[in-house]
Amino acid sequence: MAENPPRHVKIFPNARDIRIGEQRINIVSGNQYVSSTNQATLIQLLQPILDASHTRDRETSPPNSTCFPGTRTNVIRAIVSWADSTLLWNTHVLWLYGFVGCGKSAIALAIALKFERRNRLVGSFFFFRNTGDRSRMVRFATTLAFQLAAAIPEAAPFIKKAVTEEGLLGSSLVAQLRRLVYEPFKAAAKRVRLLKTSLLKGPFLIVIDGLDECEDRQEVQAFIDDMLEFFKKNPLVPLRFFITSRVKQHIQRRLEKGQVRLENLVNHCSRGDIDKFMHTCFEAEKLENPVVKAYIRNHGDWPAKKDKDQLVDHIGGSFIFASALFKYIVDPTDEQSTPMDRLPHTLNMNPGLDTLYAKTLSRSHHLPHFSDVISTLALTFEPLPIIGIAELLGIECFEVVRVLVNLQAIIHIPGTDDLPVTMCHTSLRDFLTTESRSGCFFTPPSYHLYLLHRCWALHDDGQRSDTAAALYSISHGVKHIDQFTRLPPAAQGPIPRFPETLDALYTHILAKTENHLHFSDIISTIVLCLRLITVDEISHLLGIEAFKVVRVLVNLRPVFDVPEEGGLPILLYHPSVHQFLTTESRSGRFFVSPSYHLRLSYNYFSLTLGLGPDLLSPMVIESHRCQLLYRLHCTHFLAAVSEPTIYDELGQFAHLPSQNSSYWHIFSFTQLFLWAFEGAGPKPQQILPTFTRCIESLALALEFDHAPDKWLQYSVNGHSLFSGIVGRIVPLKMHEEQATALQRSVQRVEAAIRAKGLGHHLKRSWDLNVNKIHMNTSGYWTALGVYQVLKWIFAHAEVDTNPAGPGVGLYITEIRRGDVKISIRPFTQPSAT
């Protein structure tokens, strides 16, 4: 719900003996608040919820309930007596609990108003479900702190000092309450004025209504635990908490302690209060309703005493049931029957609200768009105005009004189209979303998908971005995805009149930009990147200009959260987007294959060597990060594909333009070498062919590149290179044709090196007459050093090309941590274990 502050101007009603120096008029949500400079600063720092207190406009910020004059006197008297007690060690917390509609909010309002007049109200907070931050704990502490500063100016300096501490507003609820509410009040309470007030009149009070309406259950528990702990350590602090809620387990088990006074409102529900309420309502109706007047002239008084008594008995102790029944009886929009006809029907309704809800909803059930309008009211996360509901559903305002006008007994309909439509009580939402209670009026949770579809349709239609529906779609669209994806598959639809699935919606959105040249690369990079990545980094990594990246992503905001600034990371709108794009059976042509990790590895490898594209933008990815990511992406690629696929993928860029071919071939050479020595590398019989491909790739890289110096001495990280196969025996069986092909590749490598004037590098090589070498794997090997090791291995492997012979084996053993010994000797089949 929009945060609407009171429609009147309040200038610190509880403050006393203060000076108003420089003043500032703050315009908040269209309302004016006149305050001193310090108070204005606190508004800016604390960002309180201005429609959460008892002073809010109840017409637009429910609950809109107040005690009927002359009722609830006993329970209010008991609460005031507790709060007035000057015994500072008395119970600090009173919990008033009761069932739906028994008047808890009305009593909380009455208590808040009474203690405000006595200048002893610190603050109040009225929770209400599906009203944005009013249904959460995120701004609970800052809102109370703002009210505390206005009610007790002595506390303001302490609050201002605390709120300017770095990181406090981002800390836990408990820390905020301590530093912004409890400690400032405790410090201010030592001042003379407050000390006299508490000793002579009684302690100060904070009113918390509808705690069960708060969606953050764990935060509610933390608040209760910390509050009780604070009072346990500070038994003499002159502060009381009055809390109302329904009985919920997470609240009940924490408040049912010796430190809390418990009051069950059922014990205070007087039949006389309901009788007085109904009598007054009927008397007022008899003076205003011409139909009732005419009936009385011909038939005598109405309703008859016995009928009214029966109705009061039927209502029990629920004021909301009484109010709703009366609205139903005298409903001026029902032209099919009279109040006298409807009164007997109410006596047949089951006690409680379900029958009344069903009876009222049935009046509009036949109208077009009824289901959509009611389901939208039930599932939206923030109340929308009539114009917002119409825009979201793609219908006319009069069509929304036509549905709602018959439901005024249970739904608050504002006088204008731009004020929020709210339910008289949140129990209506519970009714609509519980199939066993609502039957044909049930709103299935899968309807979240349709609301999500409508949120995205607003952007497709190119409508204004500042309307109520558009702002709602931006703020809450992801919540509809989250609610839908949490449903079990059987509950996800299809929805009547809307057979589409979430996958179909994702496909529809992605199809809008799939024809862009770089679409696939950009999407695959975002989805598979192993870290959050920005537009600038994508531009640098893929070698395309940043505006082209933005042009692809701008129409994909429903699935990608694209920041306005290029230096901020792009986020997936919801985890289900990633699941969709990486599941081929769901995404089809938009499938992001894990093999794309290889392309990302190559791109980072190129940047590591300084071989990346010459972009106009400066370097935005650090070199050390590139080196780490190129290996990580390669590891993910190797883990995701089969052995034949690895060779196929490495060969897919064989036809790159000549200026890029050398980069790809040296990358292929490096990756094949590292893969061969990893634990998840090729099968033993494929080690030799893999080494052969290494040499071929190196030869191609040298032949394509006229100046290979920049990468020939490039270091390959050999850390833990052999850890995967230490202790294994790798057979190196080489046939004559393999030896011939290998010899040809070796000759190509060395010819290319000499042709480029780099023959001096070939003088440094392993002694081919020895059959074992020692290596330190924690260091870095150059590309040329890798070649020398492979040449040494091949020289020994080609000694025995007799097909009938046992061949030789590559034996790798660890001497000490970081050092390994590679030896070549006749192959012996390991014994079976």
Side-chain angles (χ1 to χ4, degrees):
M1 172 175 290
E3 292 163 12
N4 300 314
R7 297 293 176 184
H8 54 283
V9 177
K10 294 183 72 68
I11 310 178
F12 312 139
N14 297 324
R16 293 293 182 273
D17 300 324
I18 64 171
R19 291 183 178 181
I20 301 296
E22 177 187 349
Q23 294 182 347
R24 177 177 300 174
I25 298 178
N26 298 283
I27 306 298
V28 184
S29 300
N31 295 271
Q32 296 184 1
Y33 285 78
V34 182
S35 63
S36 67
T37 301
N38 286 341
Q39 194 71 9
T41 302
L42 281 180
I43 290 179
Q44 297 163 358
L45 292 174
L46 295 170
Q47 291 294 302
I49 305 175
L50 297 174
D51 70 339
S53 76
H54 66 289
T55 63
R56 70 192 184 282
D57 183 349
R58 298 195 306 277
E59 290 292 333
T60 59
S61 300
N64 185 14
S65 53
T66 183
C67 289
F68 194 76
T71 65
R72 299 302 198 185
T73 55
N74 290 335
V75 66
I76 291 175
R77 189 181 300 113
I79 296 168
V80 170
S81 176
W82 159 79
D84 279 344
S85 174
T86 56
L87 298 176
L88 295 181
W89 55 85
N90 195 12
T91 307
H92 289 83
V93 182
L94 188 150
W95 177 35
L96 179 71
Y97 60 92
F99 55 81
V100 170
C102 61
K104 299 181 294 296
S105 294
I107 293 170
L109 175 64
I111 294 297
L113 291 171
K114 187 178 289 289
F115 278 81
E116 181 183 53
R117 290 191 294 269
R118 297 181 177 188
N119 301 313
R120 285 166 50 208
L121 182 70
V122 170
S124 63
F125 198 105
F126 284 67
F127 287 99
F128 200 78
R129 265 185 296 170
N130 284 58
T131 52
D133 286 346
R134 266 190 69 204
S135 59
R136 302 183 57 208
M137 279 287 188
V138 64
R139 292 161 68 188
F140 175 67
T142 58
T143 300
L144 288 181
F146 175 72
Q147 295 180 47
L148 169 60
I152 303 178
E154 293 92 335
F158 301 101
I159 295 172
K160 186 174 181 180
K161 180 181 178 181
V163 79
T164 53
E165 291 181 2
E166 184 177 353
L168 178 61
L169 295 184
S171 61
S172 68
L173 170 69
V174 167
Q176 290 185 35
L177 284 170
R178 291 265 176 155
R179 299 290 290 117
L180 296 176
V181 180
Y182 300 153
E183 292 176 7
F185 176 84
K186 185 179 175 182
K190 297 177 182 178
R191 303 296 175 91
V192 174
R193 181 180 74 84
L194 277 91
L195 193 59
K196 287 182 178 179
T197 299
S198 61
L199 289 175
L200 296 175
K201 298 181 180 179
F204 292 82
L205 184 67
I206 293 177
V207 175
I208 308 298
D209 178 64
L211 191 58
D212 58 296
E213 299 280 306
C214 181
E215 299 167 4
D216 301 328
R217 292 196 170 198
Q218 291 185 340
E219 297 279 44
V220 167
Q221 294 174 152
F223 155 62
I224 296 173
D225 291 343
D226 184 66
M227 173 187 64
L228 296 180
E229 181 65 21
F230 171 76
F231 286 130
K232 186 176 181 180
K233 292 180 179 179
N234 300 275
L236 301 182
V237 66
L239 181 64
R240 301 285 185 266
F241 269 85
F242 173 51
I243 299 174
T244 75
S245 78
R246 286 183 288 176
V247 178
K248 295 291 183 178
Q249 186 177 7
H250 67 289
I251 297 174
Q252 180 182 15
R253 64 188 179 190
R254 280 171 160 74
L255 286 177
E256 285 189 340
K257 297 180 178 179
Q259 290 176 262
V260 180
R261 175 170 170 175
L262 308 179
E263 288 288 347
N264 187 346
L265 191 50
V266 172
N267 297 331
H268 297 277
C269 288
S270 165
R271 184 188 185 282
D273 287 344
I274 298 295
D275 184 63
K276 182 179 295 184
F277 171 75
M278 296 302 291
H279 174 77
T280 304
C281 289
F282 279 121
E283 289 301 310
E285 187 68 17
K286 286 188 285 186
L287 295 175
E288 298 177 3
N289 193 319
V291 175
V292 174
K293 286 181 180 179
Y295 178 87
I296 292 175
R297 282 196 300 268
N298 295 324
H299 299 87
D301 195 20
W302 178 85
K305 185 177 183 307
K306 65 171 185 174
D307 292 336
K308 190 185 72 171
D309 289 346
Q310 187 178 357
L311 182 62
V312 170
D313 291 337
H314 183 66
I315 289 170
S318 173
F319 269 89
I320 189 173
F321 187 38
S323 177
L325 275 180
F326 181 76
K327 288 180 181 179
Y328 171 78
I329 293 169
V330 301
D331 188 354
T333 65
D334 187 353
E335 298 177 353
Q336 304 301 316
S337 61
T338 68
M340 286 65 68
D341 297 325
R342 291 190 290 273
L343 175 58
H345 296 162
T346 62
L347 300 177
N348 297 323
M349 293 181 180
N350 293 328
L353 294 168
D354 285 9
T355 306
L356 178 62
Y357 286 154
K359 188 76 173 177
T360 305
L361 290 167
S362 65
R363 298 185 53 199
S364 292
H365 194 210
H366 64 287
L367 296 174
H369 311 296
F370 167 82
S371 180
D372 286 326
V373 172
I374 294 303
S375 297
T376 299
L377 288 174
L379 294 186
T380 46
F381 296 97
E382 186 174 305
L384 286 168
I386 289 173
I387 192 171
I389 296 172
E391 183 186 4
L392 183 61
L393 295 177
I395 60 179
E396 298 288 341
C397 285
F398 78 86
E399 295 177 297
V400 177
V401 173
R402 186 183 179 192
V403 170
L404 296 178
V405 72
N406 294 327
L407 310 179
Q408 295 184 67
I410 57 177
I411 294 174
H412 290 302
I413 305 173
T416 63
D417 290 348
D418 56 355
L419 291 176
V421 178
T422 59
M423 298 178 178
C424 293
H425 200 277
T426 53
S427 60
L428 175 56
R429 182 174 288 107
D430 296 334
F431 170 80
L432 291 170
T433 56
T434 306
E435 188 171 12
S436 61
R437 294 171 59 187
S438 53
C440 64
F441 304 111
F442 173 59
T443 296
S446 55
Y447 194 82
H448 279 291
L449 179 60
Y450 183 69
L451 290 174
L452 172 65
H453 166 71
R454 292 304 311 165
C455 285
W456 290 346
L458 294 176
H459 302 287
D460 279 348
D461 295 342
Q463 298 186 21
R464 289 170 49 194
S465 60
D466 59 348
T467 63
L471 293 173
Y472 175 86
S473 69
I474 293 170
S475 302
H476 300 291
V478 69
K479 295 180 182 178
H480 288 295
I481 299 181
D482 192 58
Q483 290 297 314
F484 180 79
T485 54
R486 290 173 183 268
L487 298 174
Q492 289 188 355
I495 307 168
R497 300 167 290 102
F498 182 70
E500 289 219 48
T501 63
L502 183 61
D503 290 354
L505 287 182
Y506 285 151
T507 299
H508 169 72
I509 293 167
L510 291 166
K512 291 186 291 185
T513 54
E514 66 175 317
N515 293 326
H516 280 271
L517 178 61
H518 304 290
F519 170 82
S520 181
D521 285 327
I522 292 171
I523 299 302
S524 298
T525 299
I526 296 172
V527 171
L528 294 185
C529 197
L530 302 175
R531 55 187 285 272
L532 295 179
I533 193 166
T534 68
V535 168
D536 291 341
E537 288 174 331
I538 293 176
S539 168
H540 193 73
L541 185 62
L542 299 181
I544 57 180
E545 294 176 276
F547 80 89
K548 294 181 179 178
V549 178
V550 174
R551 189 170 61 184
V552 169
L553 295 177
V554 70
N555 290 325
L556 301 180
R557 291 186 185 273
V559 290
F560 295 109
D561 183 3
V562 186
E564 297 294 333
E565 300 179 23
L568 297 177
I570 300 166
L571 303 174
L572 289 175
Y573 198 60
H574 191 268
S576 62
V577 179
H578 186 279
Q579 296 164 4
F580 168 76
L581 288 169
T582 55
T583 306
E584 188 171 11
S585 60
R586 295 176 58 189
S587 52
R589 68 184 187 275
F590 298 112
F591 173 58
V592 175
S593 171
S595 63
Y596 196 82
H597 277 294
L598 184 66
R599 180 58 185 266
L600 291 173
S601 179
Y602 167 66
N603 289 351
Y604 281 115
F605 176 83
S606 298
L607 293 178
T608 302
L609 293 182
L611 303 175
D614 184 19
L615 293 176
L616 297 176
S617 60
M619 181 68 172
V620 293
I621 312 177
E622 301 89 344
S623 178
H624 72 278
R625 192 184 298 274
C626 290
Q627 190 166 32
L628 172 64
L629 290 171
Y630 117 74
R631 287 295 296 133
L632 288 176
H633 279 290
C634 187
T635 300
H636 277 72
F637 164 73
L638 295 173
V641 299
S642 63
E643 188 171 292
T645 305
I646 293 172
Y647 298 124
D648 293 341
E649 293 291 340
L650 283 170
Q652 67 176 319
F653 296 109
H655 303 294
L656 286 170
S658 58
Q659 66 268 26
N660 294 328
S661 292
S662 61
Y663 308 163
W664 178 260
H665 290 307
I666 188 61
F667 172 75
S668 178
F669 161 72
T670 305
Q671 297 310 107
L672 284 169
F673 173 74
L674 294 174
W675 178 52
F677 281 101
E678 287 180 341
K683 298 175 182 177
Q685 61 270 27
Q686 290 298 319
I687 292 287
L688 204 55
T690 300
F691 286 161
T692 304
R693 285 174 180 263
C694 278
I695 299 297
E696 291 173 351
S697 297
L698 180 59
L700 289 168
L702 287 164
E703 291 168 354
F704 275 113
D705 198 336
H706 298 294
D709 294 34
K710 54 189 173 185
W711 53 258
L712 201 57
Q713 293 300 317
Y714 167 71
S715 296
V716 178
N717 190 348
H719 180 64
S720 301
L721 189 62
F722 298 96
S723 61
I725 58 173
V726 165
R728 288 173 53 192
I729 304 171
V730 180
L732 300 176
K733 186 68 174 175
M734 182 180 295
H735 300 296
E736 188 171 351
E737 57 272 18
Q738 289 178 319
T740 302
L742 173 61
Q743 197 61 249
R744 187 162 47 247
S745 295
V746 169
Q747 291 171 358
R748 285 173 60 188
V749 169
E750 300 197 353
I753 291 176
R754 290 191 178 93
K756 292 173 173 55
L758 303 172
H760 58 281
H761 290 303
L762 298 175
K763 296 178 181 179
R764 300 191 299 271
S765 63
W766 296 102
D767 187 346
L768 302 181
N769 295 318
V770 301
N771 62 1
K772 60 183 177 181
I773 57 176
H774 293 136
M775 296 185 302
N776 186 287
T777 61
S778 62
Y780 290 83
W781 293 12
T782 66
L784 195 59
V786 170
Y787 165 71
Q788 299 288 10
V789 171
L790 290 177
K791 183 179 175 182
W792 176 80
I793 293 174
F794 283 138
H796 288 281
E798 65 179 346
V799 170
D800 185 5
T801 57
N802 180 6
V808 296
L810 181 67
Y811 295 77
I812 302 177
T813 54
E814 187 170 26
I815 302 172
R816 58 182 177 272
R817 184 173 179 81
D819 285 346
V820 297
K821 178 176 72 174
I822 301 179
S823 58
I824 302 289
R825 57 178 184 265
F827 176 71
T828 303
Q829 184 69 37
S831 58
T833 57

